């Protein structure tokens, strides 16, 4: 906890988290434009004494990185669907866990995209877990988690609301 705080402080980052430590939640993280987001996000959450798992492209789970990523909460995402429906798997994981926080980047890529994936909203709705809106804002060098979003079931409207929330924040590569 102290080491994570020190590293972020030396890098010039500020962390502000005011949401409750829910036993189960999805942490929607945006904007996501750099691999550095992962490191900053993990350090920020660790700096407040919390642990979160994360989704990551399956190609990163080669030996020995796969062992390390799984040990720190990594969940591989197979784009070819060979492992089945990821949304269903994550809903089942939430339903069977007593405690689970999972960071998800709705853009699904570090590249510029206007199309965000809605899986995080489906998972939150069907697993009945809140969505914490996590911001990694490079313009202010600040990580913030101050808002909780509860999906209404109108996925299109919910996604619009979430995207509007993130509009003022800047990624490393906007």
């Amino acid at each position: 906890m102290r080491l994570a705080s020190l590293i972020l402080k030396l890098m010039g980052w500020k962390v502000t988290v005011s949401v409750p430590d829910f036993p189960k939640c999805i942490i929607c993280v945006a904007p996501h434009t750099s691999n550095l987001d992962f490191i900053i996000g993990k350090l920020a959450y660790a700096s407040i004494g919390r642990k979160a798992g994360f989704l990551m492209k399956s190609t990163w789970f080669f030996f020995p990185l796969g062992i390390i990523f799984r040990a720190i909460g990594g969940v591989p995402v197979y784009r070819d669907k060979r492992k089945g429906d990821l949304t269903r798997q994550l809903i089942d994981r939430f339903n069977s866990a007593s405690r689970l926080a999972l960071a998800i980047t709705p853009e699904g890529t570090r590249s510029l995209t206007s199309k965000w994936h809605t899986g995080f909203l489906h998972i939150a709705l069907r697993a009945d877990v809140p969505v914490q809106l996590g911001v990694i804002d490079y313009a202010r060098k600040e990580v913030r988690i101050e808002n909780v979003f509860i999906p209404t079931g109108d996925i299109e409207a919910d996604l619009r609301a979430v995207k509007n929330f993130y509009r003022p924040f800047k990624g490393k590569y906007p």
Side-chain angles (χ1 to χ4, degrees), residues 46-66:
S47 75
I48 61 166
R50 298 183 190 178
K51 293 181 182 178
F54 56 93
L55 300 182
M56 183 179 265
K57 192 171 19 173
S58 62
T59 55
W60 283 94
F61 285 79
F62 57 86
F63 183 81
L65 280 182

Side-chain angles (χ1 to χ4, degrees), residues 14-147:
K14 178 182 174 191
V15 177
T16 306
V17 178
S18 61
V19 298
D21 185 10
F22 294 108
K24 298 181 190 182
C25 68
I26 290 174
I27 308 157
C28 177
V29 182
H32 177 46
T33 63
S34 167
N35 284 333
L36 189 57
D37 299 346
F38 168 76
I39 295 166
I40 292 169
K42 283 299 271 184
L43 286 170
Y45 218 58
S47 75
I48 61 166
R50 298 183 190 178
K51 293 181 182 178
F54 56 93
L55 300 182
M56 183 179 265
K57 192 171 19 173
S58 62
T59 55
W60 283 94
F61 285 79
F62 57 86
F63 183 81
L65 280 182
I67 295 169
I68 296 165
F69 285 145
R70 280 186 178 87
I72 61 173
V75 176
V77 174
Y78 296 90
R79 300 261 169 105
D80 61 5
K81 306 278 188 209
R82 69 178 176 199
K83 296 286 186 179
D85 179 20
L86 179 64
T87 300
R88 176 80 256 155
Q89 290 174 28
L90 294 174
I91 292 165
D92 292 345
R93 188 177 278 207
F94 271 106
N95 289 337
S96 65
S98 60
R99 186 163 188 82
L100 177 61
L102 187 64
I104 298 177
T105 57
E107 296 110 321
T109 180
R110 292 174 313 279
S111 303
L112 180 63
T113 182
S114 61
K115 182 179 176 359
W116 285 19
H117 297 268
T118 59
F120 75 102
L121 293 168
H122 289 282
I123 295 162
L125 187 66
R126 291 170 46 202
D128 194 27
V129 297
V131 178
Q132 296 179 356
L133 300 179
V135 174
I136 299 177
D137 187 359
Y138 281 82
R140 295 177 187 88
K141 288 191 104 174
E142 183 176 34
V143 177
R144 294 173 34 190
I145 308 176
E146 300 175 310
N147 297 75

Side-chain angles (χ1 to χ4, degrees), residues 1-10 13 43 46-48:
M1 195 159 94
R2 287 183 184 166
L3 179 59
S5 295
L6 177 64
I7 293 168
L8 287 170
K9 187 175 183 176
L10 290 172
W13 284 82
L43 286 170
S47 75
I48 61 166

